[in-house]
């Protein structure tokens, strides 16, 4: 079965690789295999696989991961409806989320 994907380009997940300690907790707790481990650090394999549950951020010992739990899909759908466009949430520089 292929990994589940939600609405493209709306996930609020961010990873600051320089803060990553390589503890592997994000990989252990992520239900959708969003992360992979290489070069002694976590990397986002596919951001669109994220369902924004927040488990990775809650378990990240260094604060390298941030995510607004549950926001991306809802905001993407609402903004698409309001703007008459495809579901999308470009939160850079706006207050959509």
């Amino acid at each position: 079965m292929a990994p589940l994907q939600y609405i493209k380009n709306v996930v609020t997940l961010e990873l600051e690789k320089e803060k990553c300690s390589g503890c592997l907790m994000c990989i252990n707790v992520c239900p959708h295999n969003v992360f992979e481990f290489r070069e002694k650090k976590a990397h986002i394999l596919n951001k669109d696989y994220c369902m924004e549950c927040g488990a990775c951020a809650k378990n990240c010992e260094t604060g390298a991961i941030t995510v607004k739990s549950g926001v991306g899909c809802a905001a993407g759908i609402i903004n698409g409806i309001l703007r008459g466009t495809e579901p999308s949430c470009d939160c850079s520089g706006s207050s959509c989320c």
Side-chain angles (χ1 to χ4, degrees), residues 18-97:
E18 62 279 354
K19 285 185 172 181
C20 179
S21 68
C23 73
L24 300 175
M25 284 304 295
C26 56
I27 292 169
N28 291 331
V29 301
C30 181
H32 287 179
N33 300 315
V34 172
F35 300 94
E36 65 180 351
F37 188 73
R38 59 185 151 85
E39 301 164 0
K40 300 181 183 179
K41 301 272 184 183
H43 295 263
I44 296 175
L45 180 62
N46 187 329
K47 200 173 191 178
D48 290 329
Y49 292 168
C50 179
M51 65 181 207
E52 296 184 312
C53 68
C56 57
K58 189 173 277 290
N59 288 283
C60 181
E61 64 185 21
T62 62
I65 301 170
T66 57
V67 64
K68 294 179 184 175
S69 298
V71 172
C73 289
I77 292 168
I78 292 167
N79 287 327
I81 291 168
L82 292 175
R83 296 178 184 145
T85 62
E86 288 293 314
S88 174
C89 182
D90 179 13
C91 296
S92 58
S94 78
S95 60
C96 68
C97 297

Side-chain angles (χ1 to χ4, degrees), residues 5-12 47-48 72 76 87-91:
Q5 289 190 35
Y6 298 89
I7 300 170
K8 289 195 174 289
N9 302 317
V10 298
V11 175
T12 60
K47 200 173 191 178
D48 290 329
S88 174
C89 182
D90 179 13
C91 296

